[in-house]
Amino acid sequence: MDAVLGCGDCPPCPGFKGRGTCPTEEVLSASCLLHDGTGIQSSHLFVINNRLKALTEDEGREDTFMKHLFTMLLTLVAATASAQDFEVDDICYNILSEDDRTVEVTESPYGYMDNVVIPAEVTYDGSTYSVTTIGLDAFAFCSALTSVEMPKVTTIGVEAFYYCEALTSVEMPEVTTIGEYAFGCCSALTSVSMPEVTTIGGYAFVECSALTSVSMPSVTTIGDNAFSDCLDLKSVSMPSVMTIGDYAFFWCGNLTSVEMPKATTIGESAFSNCHALTSVSMPEATTIGEYAFDGCSALTSVDIPASVTMIGDYAFDGCSSLTSVYCHWDEPLECDPWFTDEVTANATLYVPTGSIDAYDSVYPWSEFINIEEKDYSGISDTPQPEMTVKVIDGVITVE
């Protein structure tokens, strides 16, 4: 077998095709050991390199690095040893369960291109199987793939569409789970609708630089870095989301507003460097992670509900345009969100009626020059003298 050179100072290795980021020496060495007879593809090695590179950069994770490296390579060996069970109409499948008659779409030795329509069922050797899953790396690096329809698929596996640079649209009406890196680096993908998805894995849409809008009405969990570096993302609908992972929307520079009515956990740097973000709604939040809104320089107002029990350090660092901060605790929370001197000097801090003295004695709220009390009961003064508001048996009546 002819050796194919790595890049830079990396040693030559027949298992790496020189695609993308230069692999680490550990990746190359391990792949050389395992390459003969395993059929490990260059796309696999590129994905492995990207996923493991971060581990080598974090102190105290060197042991984890090698453990993950060989676990992943051995997993790929097992996967590629039986690359497909059968092929029908140019789509390759693996049998998931003979008892349940279910299969997954898997990699094709020839790749996939143009528009691919995945059938709800497929018949092979006298048996009919339901197509439920898009498997690991099934369409990864299919540079000519433009669109995919999957009417009955429920699960999209890890790296299923990774680096499909020409993919512009995806229809997934019954998908409930999207795995890690599933659509990572799909740079032509412009919009995604996922009506039944409940879980989005880490890095699922990382660097989808053309993505402009995302609708996810059923999603409850968004993994780490799920939409990070989606530079054109402007609109996000996530009414059911409860957990937002670390760096989930990191550096989404065109995102203007975020409503997350059920979110309880907002991870570290979740919206960091979203420079166009002007408003945030998080009425059920309990945890706001470190650097959560760091660098959101266009954010003008923030409303912190009484349910919040933890605000991480630097959560609002760099939010230089804040003019209003609303806090709902009767007893102020001690924390260090790092409001700038400009904000504490010019913005107004609104606190519950009767609690101004408490806020005046607790950092960082005591740093605000302008503190006003506000009635958060939900019913303000009536707008006109002739109107009256009555509450009878729990019913509010306006006369």
Side-chain angles (χ1 to χ4, degrees):
M1 181 181 295
D2 294 333
V4 178
L5 293 177
C7 57
D9 297 327
C10 299
C13 175
F16 183 75
K17 305 299 184 186
R19 187 197 306 265
T21 305
C22 177
T24 60
E25 291 188 15
E26 289 87 350
V27 170
L28 280 171
S29 299
S31 64
C32 289
L33 290 173
L34 294 172
H35 180 76
D36 291 338
T38 64
I40 295 176
Q41 299 184 12
S42 59
S43 61
H44 292 149
L45 298 179
F46 177 63
V47 170
I48 289 171
N49 180 65
N50 281 353
R51 294 181 64 186
L52 294 177
K53 185 178 179 182
L55 292 175
T56 64
E57 296 172 350
D58 290 343
E59 293 184 5
R61 301 185 72 181
E62 293 83 359
D63 293 340
T64 304
F65 170 78
M66 292 309 298
K67 177 182 176 181
H68 280 241
L69 170 63
F70 284 100
T71 298
M72 292 170 66
L73 284 171
L74 291 173
T75 299
L76 289 174
V77 170
T80 54
S82 56
Q84 65 185 67
D85 290 328
F86 63 87
E87 180 180 338
V88 175
D89 295 332
D90 299 324
I91 298 178
C92 299
Y93 301 92
N94 277 334
I95 297 173
L96 296 175
S97 171
E98 283 287 6
D99 293 336
D100 297 332
R101 289 289 191 267
T102 56
V103 295
E104 67 175 6
V105 177
T106 189
E107 293 174 274
S108 167
Y110 314 107
Y112 297 99
M113 61 182 62
D114 301 326
N115 176 53
V116 174
V117 179
I118 299 169
E121 295 181 336
V122 62
T123 300
Y124 174 74
D125 198 21
S127 297
T128 299
Y129 300 89
S130 297
V131 183
T132 63
T133 303
I134 308 296
L136 169 71
D137 283 338
F139 295 91
F141 293 95
C142 290
S143 58
L145 183 69
T146 56
S147 64
V148 179
E149 299 176 32
M150 44 184 123
K152 293 296 181 181
V153 168
T154 59
T155 301
I156 297 178
V158 173
E159 295 136 11
F161 295 92
Y162 189 79
Y163 226 96
C164 291
E165 297 174 285
L167 185 65
T168 58
S169 65
V170 178
E171 294 184 17
M172 40 186 175
E174 296 195 12
V175 170
T176 59
T177 302
I178 298 177
E180 294 183 351
Y181 293 88
F183 295 94
C185 298
C186 291
S187 56
L189 194 63
T190 56
S191 64
V192 176
S193 178
M194 35 188 159
E196 301 298 326
V197 172
T198 59
T199 302
I200 298 177
Y203 299 86
F205 295 92
V206 64
E207 294 188 35
C208 289
S209 54
L211 192 64
T212 58
S213 64
V214 176
S215 175
M216 38 187 170
S218 302
V219 171
T220 59
T221 302
I222 299 176
D224 296 348
N225 288 276
F227 294 93
S228 63
D229 291 294
C230 291
L231 302 180
D232 281 347
L233 187 61
K234 298 178 177 67
S235 172
V236 176
S237 175
M238 46 183 180
S240 301
V241 167
M242 299 181 68
T243 301
I244 299 174
D246 298 345
Y247 299 89
F249 294 91
F250 181 76
W251 216 282
C252 291
N254 282 304
L255 190 62
T256 57
S257 65
V258 174
E259 293 187 9
M260 33 190 173
K262 294 185 179 180
T264 57
T265 301
I266 300 170
E268 177 183 341
S269 297
F271 296 94
S272 183
N273 290 312
C274 291
H275 301 299
L277 191 64
T278 58
S279 64
V280 174
S281 175
M282 47 182 178
E284 300 295 324
T286 60
T287 301
I288 300 174
E290 294 182 354
Y291 298 94
F293 297 95
D294 168 47
C296 293
S297 54
L299 191 63
T300 58
S301 175
V302 61
D303 195 319
I304 305 173
S307 55
V308 171
T309 58
M310 194 282 284
I311 299 178
D313 293 349
Y314 306 99
F316 297 100
D317 184 23
C319 296
S320 55
S321 295
L322 281 175
T323 58
S324 303
V325 177
Y326 298 88
C327 291
H328 292 248
W329 311 287
D330 290 327
E331 293 295 329
L333 183 70
E334 292 188 30
C335 54
D336 193 5
W338 204 263
F339 293 108
T340 66
D341 291 342
E342 182 182 8
V343 169
T344 56
N346 299 312
T348 300
L349 173 64
Y350 294 94
V351 303
T353 301
S355 65
I356 193 168
D357 289 340
Y359 279 83
D360 252 338
S361 61
V362 174
Y363 181 87
W365 320 111
S366 58
E367 299 295 300
F368 281 81
I369 295 175
N370 306 306
I371 304 179
E372 295 184 13
E373 293 186 341
K374 180 176 176 59
D375 182 5
Y376 287 118
S377 64
I379 301 176
S380 59
D381 294 337
T382 55
Q384 297 181 26
E386 64 271 18
M387 295 181 66
T388 60
V389 178
K390 297 180 181 179
V391 181
I392 304 175
D393 295 330
V395 177
I396 298 176
T397 303
V398 179
E399 296 179 352

